[in-house]
Amino acid sequence: MERKTEKDRWMGFFETLTRKEEWKPHHPRNAIQEMGRATLWHYQRVDRNGALPILMVYSHINKPSILDLTEQHSMIGEFLRNGYDVFLLDFGIPDERDKDTGLESYLFDYIDGAVKTVLQHQQTGRLTLAGFCLGGTLAALYAALYPDRIHNLLLFVTPIDFNQLPDFREWIKAIQSGDIDPAVLAPVTGIIPAEQIRYGMRLITAPVYYSPYLSLLNRGYDPAYTEHWYRFNQWTNDHIPMTGAFLRDLLHYFIKQNAMMNGGMTLRGREINPATIQSNLYMVCSKFDQMVPAAISYPLMELASSEEKQFIEVPGGHASLIKDGVSSRLMDWLKEHS
């Protein structure tokens, strides 16, 4: 039995490393709107609970497949099992046509277009908006602009105070002092390749990337574990290009001005102030998140005018939040406020 387990362990290890399969969603969905490269997906629950629909906005530098990774590890699946209609805004993969697509477009065209479509589709006046990482930052900005549309605001590992980024203090100082001009950092092509995004993220989280392979070798005999490992590893190595326009806006508004904290952000003639957020607010952070520690997210709890606020810290890191973030506590809270 020991030899069989050892053999299975090594076979599972090598089979997983050599596997080549594209990710496919684990729950049925329909595309109900397309905007440029972006797609609005609808996951419809048969046994609806009558509560407000949930619109998910994921970061635009990663694929949102992490939200429906496997049958057993699916945040979308958890919401569906609890009776919610779920909508997902997938920003897609930008190319040269999108090089001038910046913060304004993501906010006023993509997110606003998706919100209006969901409200019309569900025949309701309000919804629950869930944002992840930079998608959470965009969701917070939208909730500040349209507090009457967003009843609940769920934010997961969301950067708010960009002065607190732990690994870029000197870089931030150089941008804020003018020694580095954000306008010259984007490439001439206007698109930052996915490989550069991946290398940058890897430098922050795991410069020496071998421990996941040791974990796989240790549990290579477990099909459920190898399935999750493969899909998760596939996701971590499958970033999305970033438009040069968004990079410039990111550096200007969030790094140089730290506008979420200091104010002064005006887009398309609209001033955006987090103090105008009135939605019921539920923020989740991960205890060992190297990219977005809790100190970066928590300031919104003090800035927002919401009467109902919850701040939760769960075990794990940045990406493991997808598994740990949907708890019975969140479901109880959402049921009470939807």
Side-chain angles (χ1 to χ4, degrees):
M1 183 66 179
E2 288 295 329
R3 282 193 295 271
K4 181 181 178 182
T5 300
E6 185 70 8
K7 177 183 176 182
D8 291 344
R9 185 162 68 93
W10 282 96
M11 287 184 61
F13 177 75
F14 286 113
E15 287 176 357
T16 303
L17 290 182
T18 57
R19 184 176 172 184
K20 300 292 182 183
E21 292 180 11
E22 290 188 7
W23 171 88
K24 294 180 180 179
H26 291 271
H27 294 87
R29 64 182 186 177
N30 297 311
I32 62 172
Q33 185 181 27
E34 293 185 358
M35 301 168 283
R37 254 53 63 203
T39 303
L40 178 62
W41 297 99
H42 178 211
Y43 299 78
Q44 182 174 330
R45 175 63 177 168
V46 176
D47 301 323
R48 298 180 181 179
N49 60 10
L52 295 176
I54 299 173
L55 171 61
M56 293 180 155
V57 179
Y58 199 69
S59 172
H60 62 293
I61 61 172
N62 276 105
K63 292 184 178 179
S65 56
I66 189 71
L67 299 175
D68 191 23
L69 198 62
T70 69
E71 188 67 31
Q72 292 76 29
H73 298 89
S74 173
M75 180 177 280
I76 288 174
E78 284 298 314
F79 284 127
L80 291 173
R81 281 187 284 274
N82 280 271
Y84 293 94
D85 268 304
V86 177
F87 296 80
L88 170 66
L89 176 57
D90 182 347
F91 289 117
I93 301 177
D95 56 31
E96 292 297 324
R97 294 169 292 179
D98 307 295
K99 63 181 182 180
D100 296 322
T101 300
L103 180 60
E104 285 188 348
S105 294
Y106 280 102
L107 195 59
F108 289 98
D109 298 332
Y110 292 154
I111 297 181
D112 189 50
V115 168
K116 289 178 179 177
T117 298
V118 172
L119 295 179
Q120 182 178 15
H121 188 276
Q122 299 297 104
Q123 297 184 342
T124 183
R126 312 190 84 185
L127 54 76
T128 292
L129 185 61
F132 305 82
C133 196
L134 281 174
T137 308
L138 295 176
L141 292 174
Y142 188 86
L145 282 167
Y146 301 102
D148 57 320
R149 299 176 185 172
I150 310 303
H151 187 68
N152 300 312
L153 181 61
L154 311 180
L155 299 179
F156 301 83
V157 291
T158 295
I160 298 296
D161 184 358
F162 284 77
N163 271 354
Q164 299 293 329
L165 291 173
D167 295 303
F168 297 100
R169 288 189 176 89
E170 296 304 318
W171 192 53
I172 291 172
K173 290 179 182 178
I175 293 176
Q176 292 177 340
S177 66
D179 292 339
I180 296 179
D181 183 2
V184 303
L185 290 179
V188 176
T189 60
I191 296 291
I192 294 83
E195 292 78 9
Q196 293 185 19
I197 302 295
R198 178 163 60 90
Y199 295 149
M201 296 300 101
R202 186 61 50 76
L203 283 172
I204 299 173
T205 57
V208 182
Y209 191 73
Y210 62 83
S211 58
Y213 296 96
L214 296 178
S215 299
L216 174 62
L217 179 59
N218 186 49
R219 296 185 60 182
Y221 57 84
D222 183 348
Y225 180 84
T226 57
E227 171 67 16
H228 176 259
W229 189 98
Y230 175 75
R231 293 303 178 191
F232 186 82
N233 190 65
Q234 183 183 48
W235 172 81
T236 60
N237 289 284
D238 200 10
H239 285 79
I240 295 174
M242 180 189 292
T243 68
F246 190 89
L247 175 60
R248 288 190 292 270
D249 288 342
L250 174 69
L251 296 175
H252 177 73
Y253 289 111
F254 298 135
I255 303 298
K256 185 174 184 177
Q257 294 188 353
N258 200 18
M260 292 290 286
M261 298 296 298
N262 301 325
M265 181 184 292
T266 300
L267 299 173
R268 291 193 182 175
R270 298 282 304 274
E271 182 178 355
I272 305 177
N273 186 348
T276 61
I277 295 177
Q278 301 173 10
S279 316
N280 299 316
L281 178 59
Y282 194 100
M283 295 193 77
V284 185
C285 290
S286 292
K287 187 174 182 180
F288 302 109
D289 191 341
Q290 295 173 288
M291 292 183 61
V292 187
I296 296 178
S297 300
Y298 186 80
L300 188 63
M301 301 296 291
E302 299 175 342
L303 293 172
S305 299
S306 311
E307 293 185 4
E308 169 60 29
K309 304 177 186 179
Q310 291 283 335
F311 187 87
I312 309 298
E313 193 172 34
V314 299
H318 189 76
S320 63
L321 175 73
I322 302 303
K323 177 171 65 73
D324 301 324
V326 180
S327 62
S328 59
R329 182 174 182 176
L330 169 58
M331 289 302 174
D332 290 342
W333 184 91
L334 196 56
K335 182 179 180 181
E336 181 181 349
H337 295 90
S338 294

